[in-house]
Amino acid sequence: MKSIVRPLAGLAIAVIVVSCGGGGGSSGSSLVPNAQPPGPAPIGSVKLQLNIPPKSAATGRAPAYVSPATQSVSVAIDGGSPTVQNLSPSSPNCSNSGPAYPLLCTVTLSAGAGAHTVTIDTFDQPNAAGHSLSVNSISVTFVAGQSPNVPVVLAGVPASIAVYPAAPANTMSLNPSVGLIFLAAQSTQAPILVEALDADGNPIVGPGSPTLQVSVTGASSGSGIAASAVSGTNPNAFTLSSTSTGSATLAVVATPTAALAGTPVTFHLMLVATVMVSTLAGSVNRGFADGTGAAAAFDHPRGVAYDSANGDLYVIDAGNSSIRQVTPAGVVTTIAGPTPPTRISGFADGAGSTARFSNPSGIVYDPVDGNLYVTDAGNCAIRSVSPTAPYTVTTVAGAAPLRYCGNHNAVGTASKFRAALGITVNPTTGTLYVADTFNNEIRAIAVPGYAVSTIAGSRSPGHSGSTSSSGSSSGSSSSSSSSSSRSRPGGTTYADGSGSVATFHDPIGITFDPTNGDLYLTDSADCAIRQISTASPYTVSTLVGVSPTACGFADGIATTATFNNPRGIAYDPDTGDLYVSDSFNSAIRQVTLSGVVTTVANVASNTRRFGLVDGFGPLAAFNTPTQLVYDPALKSLIVADTYSNAIRQVAL
């Protein structure tokens, strides 16, 4: 069984059996159903009129089906030897009959008056050779002296099934290697058309077309992928829907309407409910320029935050040591740190362009006090940035005058951090939570006052495996005047537990769930997603991951799914799901709070793809995405695609 997917095309076709005047001295003949014969009078010639549409027939439907590929027909009476008629202008017994159906061929039959079974079969080659295209048997009674029209509905012989999208290309696409891709969780269902095809690839439509049974099997957990028929007169119209991203199989069975037309044909097609990826700002060319969309330039953007007060985004442009503002329209403006094209790193508080950063990484908007907070990793400091002019930058924790890095809880700048990379906020209390990466700890910062405390982890990294490296990415780096900031004591134990009993290995991404009050973080070198209670005793558990550490690229449940150096994580309050930037796999992964992992952008496989490619999730590509945030106004993830030097939008 072959399967064909092709553009939409309809047919206008019909089959009519018509009697003609008697021959050979007979008083006449007719083809009449359900009448009693008056006697054994013989029948003379019978005209069989097959209305065959041209191959370029316009779309539409007609009373019955005949394939435009039909080249010959056979007619048999009561199972006897068939009479074969070729159907071409040069064939004997054929003539032009008019513009709509230009060919009229006459078949001469011989039968006595009375009840008979007439079997009609059409073929795609002359002389009843090749493939049978449509066939049926009808019971009729021949009555001498009558000439009515008798409609015959031929049953199409299905050879394959066509499934094709009936929606705009930006919402649905058919990919030979992936399957039928459509946008997940949309308010309107995605329309498709399903047709049975004959052996020559022509759709079988109208009366006589096979009965279609369409269903969905094997839908991934939580995806809600379903198919339903469209109410109305078009039996070929169906719709697809989903509640979330995921995959399933579309199963189609085409059952002929007559036993003579063959056996049911089945077809299976992969369905993928997915997201759409686009580039909001930046391009593959790194640089330092303000502007709109691709006219703006970044150098290894790492962090991104959403400002719920004005709907804008704020990006950490690490390579340019600056803070950039990005509007929903993709307009990029530098608000703090050096302005384009100057690139200067350092350590200085001040307004706007007078401030200096060194390898900044994470950023979050605190709706309680209205400030942005930045993890200035190279300065081992936490900085506040006012998101309104003059964009004042202030050091609120860490970074003593000599930028000494270390591990010390205290108030404000008396505290010490070691290359903290991730930061999030409790939007109700304003408390900041920091992934103190090289200390392998999670720190809390009270706002206001900026008292720093450690809630989980210890300086020794918990690690019991190895991380696969990416050919296009490198580990986070930061500069400091203290060599001790690069010294990470050894450790080999991966452990859940309360407070300092738990261990991490390079935690980077961190997000807060306002529903349960817990933190979720990417334990990058352990290739795991961890959950932390923000109430004492600060219990740490593993949401996804195993010990010993297993890194890879696989979807599944908590103990079978794998990541490769995940670095960013965001909470979606609309669904309660988490999204992870799986950096060394250059993929965006969805994680439910029950631990089910699904890749939503870049196909999960053993082959990692890197690049800047927009499009449907399975076809899109990233290059070491780092951190991400959920934008509720755009209903999208905003991703800092670090090595693509771009800010990407993943529309959910």
Side-chain angles (χ1 to χ4, degrees), residues 276 574 629-638 648-652:
M276 179 62 75
D574 291 336
V629 70
Y630 179 72
D631 184 330
L634 296 177
K635 302 294 184 184
S636 299
L637 298 171
I638 306 299
R648 314 289 293 281
Q649 178 177 344
V650 181
L652 300 178

Side-chain angles (χ1 to χ4, degrees), residues 156-578:
V157 180
S160 59
I161 293 171
V163 178
Y164 44 89
N170 62 347
T171 62
M172 179 180 285
S173 177
L174 187 68
N175 182 276
S177 61
V178 178
L180 185 59
I181 307 170
F182 65 101
L183 294 181
Q186 299 296 295
S187 58
T188 57
Q189 296 180 327
I192 60 172
L193 289 173
V194 180
E195 292 176 335
L197 306 180
D198 63 25
D200 287 71
N202 296 293
I204 308 173
V205 294
S209 62
T211 301
L212 296 174
Q213 180 182 355
V214 177
S215 61
V216 169
T217 63
S220 55
S221 177
S223 66
I225 298 175
S228 58
V230 176
S231 60
T233 60
N234 187 351
N236 301 100
F238 297 84
T239 60
L240 301 176
S241 60
S242 74
T243 57
S244 185
T245 56
S247 61
T249 299
L250 185 73
V252 183
V253 180
T255 303
T257 56
L260 291 175
T263 59
V265 174
T266 60
F267 176 59
H268 294 91
L269 178 66
M270 178 63 72
L271 299 177
V272 180
T274 187
V275 300
M276 179 62 75
V277 179
S278 59
T279 300
L280 184 62
S283 68
V284 293
N285 300 313
R286 70 177 184 173
F288 195 14
D290 289 343
T292 301
F298 299 86
D299 185 355
H300 293 80
R302 288 185 181 170
V304 59
Y306 171 76
D307 184 341
S308 57
N310 61 21
D312 288 340
L313 302 161
Y314 295 90
V315 173
I316 296 293
D317 192 359
N320 290 317
S321 297
S322 65
I323 313 300
R324 319 285 292 277
Q325 180 185 45
V326 183
T327 71
V331 179
V332 179
T333 306
T334 303
I335 66 167
T339 55
T342 305
R343 303 186 187 196
I344 303 173
S345 63
F347 181 42
D349 289 343
S353 61
T354 66
R356 295 291 179 264
F357 301 87
S358 176
N359 201 17
S361 178
I363 187 170
V364 70
Y365 173 75
D366 187 341
V368 175
D369 69 2
N371 286 321
L372 299 166
Y373 288 93
V374 174
T375 56
D376 191 2
N379 288 318
C380 293
I382 310 300
R383 319 284 292 277
S384 74
V385 181
S386 171
T388 57
Y391 309 111
T392 302
V393 178
T394 306
T395 301
V396 299
L402 296 178
R403 292 184 285 166
Y404 176 72
C405 301
N407 187 330
H408 180 63
N409 290 328
V411 175
T413 57
S415 61
K416 299 292 180 286
F417 297 84
R418 181 177 280 111
L421 298 181
I423 189 168
T424 192
V425 66
N426 180 330
T428 302
T429 66
T431 300
L432 302 171
Y433 294 95
V434 175
D436 192 358
T437 306
F438 281 7
N439 278 323
N440 295 296
E441 292 179 342
I442 306 306
R443 317 283 291 276
I445 305 176
V447 178
Y450 306 109
V452 177
S453 60
T454 300
I455 67 169
S458 63
R459 289 190 63 195
S460 297
H463 182 48
S464 54
S466 60
T467 303
S468 300
S469 63
S470 164
S472 298
S473 63
S474 63
S476 301
S477 63
S478 46
S479 61
S480 172
S481 61
S482 170
S483 62
S484 64
S485 68
R486 295 295 165 267
S487 174
R488 288 179 287 170
T492 59
T493 303
Y494 178 102
D496 288 336
S498 299
S500 61
V501 173
T503 59
F504 307 96
H505 194 179
D506 290 353
I508 297 179
I510 187 168
T511 192
F512 182 82
D513 180 347
T515 302
N516 61 20
D518 288 351
L519 297 167
Y520 295 92
L521 67 94
T522 57
D523 188 0
S524 63
D526 281 324
C527 296
I529 309 302
R530 312 289 289 275
Q531 181 175 359
I532 307 171
S533 170
T534 55
S536 181
Y538 309 112
T539 302
V540 178
S541 58
T542 299
L543 180 62
V544 180
V546 295
S547 179
T549 298
C551 301
F553 196 8
D555 289 344
I557 60 174
T559 56
T560 61
T562 54
F563 297 86
N564 195 353
N565 205 275
R567 294 184 177 182
I569 189 167
Y571 175 77
D572 178 354
D574 291 336
T575 64
D577 293 328
L578 301 168

